[in-house]
Amino acid sequence: MQRLLITALVLLLSGHAAIGDEAKPGAPKPGSPEALEAVWLEKPGDIARGLRLQDALAEAGRQRSGLKLFRTQHAKAKDDPRLSFLHGRARGDAAGLVMMREAWTRRLGNAIGDTSGLLEASIALAVAEVEARNGEGAAAAARMITDMRGGAADWTYLGWIRQYLLRTPESAIDAYAKALRKDAKHQRARNALIGLRLERGEVEPAHALAKTGVQLHPASSSAHLQLGEVFLAKKLRAQALASYAQAAKTAGTDADALAAVGAAYADLDEIVHAQLALKRALAADPGHGGALTQSAMLAMDAGKHKKARDLLKRAAKARPRHARVAFLEGMCAQRLGMHSSAVSSFRRAMELEPSNVDYVKALAFAHVEKGSLPSAIMMFKRAIKMDAKDADLRMQLGIALYKKRSYKPARDAFQDAAVRDPHNPRPHYYLALIQGDKLGKSKEALAALERYAALGGKDAAALSWLEDLRAQLGTK
């Protein structure tokens, strides 16, 4: 009885219902998934209510029960685009995204002039399209958001999609400029616009934007960093360093800002300043993924691969879906001679960012080092499909096939490499090895070696072999 009374008192003091309260026993807590479900079920076609419920279920780790709930409600009204949209989002897979997109394209079934739920749906769809790396779909949804709400943050989001997913800098510049017209103090839009201006060589417009940014935000670390970037573009290193110093000063204990300062110093090979900034960042936030990653890169540059690997393990906990962290882990493992770990890390990087050909190449080379030639060959072929112009990929494929003793496919790969890089003597030497040593075709080997020498090949063994073949075939 005494324990029950103490519990009741604690609950009462903490603001929760206790014995004697007027709240009904078992009533769901406001804001809980149960309460939000009850509210949504009163009006299942309400997109905003449905999205809030889904977010609450996801936060509680109850996506599976949420999927069952939304699937059941959709089954009751299969022709309702709103329920189709919510069901698709609850699914969270490619088919679910198609359901969301189709429902949104139908404007959720709204009559002309009715926009209820469309803004909320557009925001949810834009996020889903970005996660799926669907640039066109993300841009369409984001454009609807700018039409309906059109704040500076909305235009900046559209600019980011155009810049990084669609790779259309002109239209990204237009979006960032519109964001600044909405709010001249919107720093993310300004910083993004400065970066694009610099990429296009428009240094003076970038300088004007950066100067205004510092005037509007004198206490902002990122504003000073951007001005420093402009000074670098103008080859004014002393002024750039002064801006970076001001950025470090204004960063305070902001781990994000300090990590950015550290990265900027590292790019200038100002290692001591970079280390100091990153040390401050990790003191403010020991688990900061960006600071840990940048610190690991400095350790790698210094040849401290074990230290770098430990830092990257910590970074991976903070950034479990960051492909570059996995890639750097692979590089560390490679330099430490840990070939199986390198393969695992590079594979993880490729899975996280399958469109990055550098990760596919790294995995291919790691397989070669591990001695897994069939896997290496498969990865080189995949990389070639992604970057058809890279002659060296054909060269590396040929070498892997040669080591596997697949001589005719290797010959084809070397011939392809020779066509794509006509001034490179190396493919011709490998062709000679295959034609002469492996296929017994001395005349073809001689022709390949003649071409090798004509292109400036210097290998002593190759040139000696060339002389032997000339003498053997009487072509001197």
Side-chain angles (χ1 to χ4, degrees):
M1 177 63 74
Q2 186 179 11
R3 180 177 297 173
L4 186 61
L5 289 171
I6 291 172
T7 301
L9 180 60
V10 170
L11 288 170
L12 184 61
L13 291 172
S14 65
H16 294 286
I19 295 173
D21 282 359
E22 293 183 358
K24 294 180 180 179
K29 180 182 176 181
S32 68
E34 292 77 13
L36 292 172
E37 180 180 342
V39 170
W40 176 64
L41 288 175
E42 293 174 359
K43 193 177 180 183
D46 190 311
I47 289 284
R49 291 182 185 183
L51 293 173
R52 280 196 295 271
L53 171 57
Q54 288 181 348
D55 291 342
L57 288 167
E59 190 174 346
R62 292 167 51 186
Q63 293 94 326
R64 185 173 297 180
S65 62
L67 173 57
K68 182 179 179 181
L69 171 65
F70 284 95
R71 183 173 59 227
T72 300
Q73 291 300 314
H74 183 210
K76 295 177 181 179
K78 286 188 175 292
D79 294 330
D80 189 330
R82 296 170 189 262
L83 290 174
S84 179
F85 185 92
L86 291 169
H87 180 194
R89 186 174 188 250
R91 288 182 58 147
D93 58 6
L97 180 54
V98 171
M99 292 171 67
M100 293 174 69
R101 193 182 297 137
E102 289 178 350
W104 180 82
T105 302
R106 293 169 59 191
R107 295 180 64 87
L108 307 177
N110 290 341
I112 295 175
D114 179 7
T115 58
S116 56
L118 193 55
L119 176 60
E120 293 85 353
S122 299
I123 294 169
L125 179 60
V127 171
E129 296 279 21
V130 166
E131 289 177 350
R133 312 299 290 178
N134 294 328
E136 292 290 347
R143 192 70 181 85
M144 178 68 79
I145 297 167
T146 61
D147 287 345
M148 297 186 71
R149 188 169 62 184
D154 301 325
W155 281 105
T156 302
Y157 188 46
L158 176 59
W160 180 89
I161 291 168
R162 289 173 171 176
Q163 181 177 358
Y164 293 104
L165 296 186
L166 293 180
R167 308 289 182 184
T168 53
E170 280 288 347
S171 61
I173 286 172
D174 178 67
Y176 293 137
K178 285 178 179 174
L180 288 181
R181 285 199 288 273
K182 290 284 183 179
D183 179 4
K185 290 188 175 182
H186 199 279
Q187 201 166 342
R188 286 195 174 184
R190 183 176 297 276
N191 290 347
L193 190 52
I194 291 168
L196 282 175
R197 293 292 188 201
L198 288 177
E199 285 180 15
R200 293 162 59 87
E202 299 169 0
V203 178
E204 290 308 322
H207 194 181
L209 285 163
K211 281 175 63 177
T212 302
V214 169
Q215 292 166 1
L216 291 171
H217 305 282
S220 165
S221 178
S222 72
H224 291 287
L225 268 183
Q226 289 295 320
L227 184 57
E229 292 293 316
V230 172
F231 282 133
L232 276 183
K234 299 180 81 169
K235 302 189 184 333
L236 300 173
R237 184 184 177 92
Q239 289 92 323
L241 288 173
S243 289
Y244 287 173
Q246 193 63 27
K249 181 179 179 180
T250 54
T253 58
D254 184 335
D256 288 340
L258 288 165
V261 171
Y265 273 128
D267 286 344
L268 281 181
D269 289 328
E270 293 285 342
I271 305 304
V272 173
H273 290 303
Q275 289 172 334
L276 287 172
L278 293 169
K279 185 177 180 181
R280 284 173 57 193
L282 291 174
D285 180 1
H288 192 278
L292 287 167
T293 303
Q294 190 64 47
S295 297
M297 291 170 68
L298 291 179
M300 289 173 68
D301 289 342
K304 300 176 180 178
H305 301 303
K306 288 184 179 179
K307 179 182 177 181
R309 194 160 184 264
D310 290 340
L311 288 165
L312 288 168
K313 283 182 179 179
R314 291 167 57 191
K317 290 181 181 178
R319 311 167 100 176
R321 297 194 59 77
H322 200 288
R324 182 150 183 81
V325 172
F327 174 71
L328 291 171
E329 284 189 289
M331 288 183 64
C332 274
Q334 212 168 31
R335 293 176 186 181
L336 290 168
M338 304 168 64
H339 302 307
S340 293
S341 294
V343 165
S344 296
S345 295
F346 288 138
R347 183 183 293 117
R348 172 73 174 156
M350 186 187 73
E351 289 170 350
L352 289 170
E353 197 174 322
S355 62
N356 191 320
V357 69
D358 289 335
Y359 298 163
V360 182
K361 290 180 189 178
L363 180 57
F365 284 114
H367 277 305
V368 170
E369 291 177 350
K370 188 183 175 186
S372 303
L373 291 175
S375 297
I377 289 165
M378 182 171 63
M379 286 300 106
F380 280 128
K381 288 180 177 178
R382 178 170 175 172
I384 287 169
K385 287 182 180 178
M386 297 170 70
D387 188 357
K389 295 180 180 179
D390 190 336
D392 189 59
L393 283 173
R394 266 83 174 177
M395 189 73 197
Q396 298 304 328
L397 172 62
I399 293 171
L401 288 163
Y402 183 85
K403 288 180 178 179
K404 188 175 173 285
R405 301 181 181 179
S406 299
Y407 298 123
K408 289 185 178 179
R411 179 190 60 192
D412 294 341
F414 290 131
Q415 286 173 338
D416 199 0
V419 170
R420 292 175 183 277
D421 189 3
H423 303 294
N424 186 356
R426 287 185 70 213
H428 300 281
Y429 182 38
Y430 278 98
L431 283 168
L433 288 172
I434 292 173
Q435 300 284 29
D437 275 2
K438 307 304 178 185
L439 300 180
K441 298 181 178 181
S442 297
K443 290 184 178 180
E444 287 81 352
L446 175 61
L449 286 171
E450 293 281 13
R451 185 63 183 154
Y452 172 81
L455 290 171
K458 303 294 185 184
D459 185 86
L463 297 177
S464 175
W465 184 23
L466 171 59
E467 291 304 315
D468 290 345
L469 283 176
R470 283 172 173 169
Q472 177 186 330
L473 298 173
T475 60
K476 279 194 172 183

